[in-house]
Amino acid sequence: MPRFYFHYRTDEELVRDVDGSDLPDLEAAEHNAAALAKAIVEQAASTGGDTRVPRSIEITDASGEELLYLVFWAGPKLTEGPETPVEPVTVH
């Protein structure tokens, strides 16, 4: 099973995933990255962080080859209540 690495990037920093995750394929890695993105936006919202700042998760393979970028942020408030994350977008 291939190992994928999920590096988290903001405008200010890159947090490298040094452990990686064994997943069956790139589609599974993309779903995993989307779940991570949702958790990151929810964490930012719960701690008063700016959820509108674009962020990305960069998926690489074990050799460091870049396979996919997932860019995400929370959309603007349309109603009273918590901000709703915008669905992640991938760039192949």
Side-chain angles (χ1 to χ4, degrees):
M1 193 171 299
R3 183 169 291 260
F4 296 94
Y5 296 82
F6 301 87
H7 309 299
Y8 170 56
R9 182 182 294 278
T10 67
D11 283 340
E12 299 161 358
E13 68 179 317
L14 174 65
V15 179
R16 292 197 173 273
D17 174 7
V18 296
D19 297 324
S21 298
D22 292 329
L23 297 166
D25 55 29
L26 186 57
E27 183 176 350
E30 183 176 1
H31 287 286
N32 187 65
L36 288 170
K38 182 179 179 191
I40 289 167
V41 169
E42 288 174 350
Q43 161 101 29
S46 71
T47 60
D50 188 353
T51 59
R52 297 167 297 162
V53 174
R55 299 169 168 91
S56 68
I57 295 176
E58 302 170 6
I59 303 173
T60 64
D61 63 13
S63 69
E65 182 178 343
E66 296 170 347
L67 304 173
L68 186 134
Y69 288 94
L70 184 114
V71 179
F72 61 96
W73 63 91
K77 278 189 180 179
L78 300 176
T79 62
E80 296 301 316
E83 293 181 6
T84 304
V86 172
E87 287 301 312
V89 176
T90 57
V91 178
H92 295 266

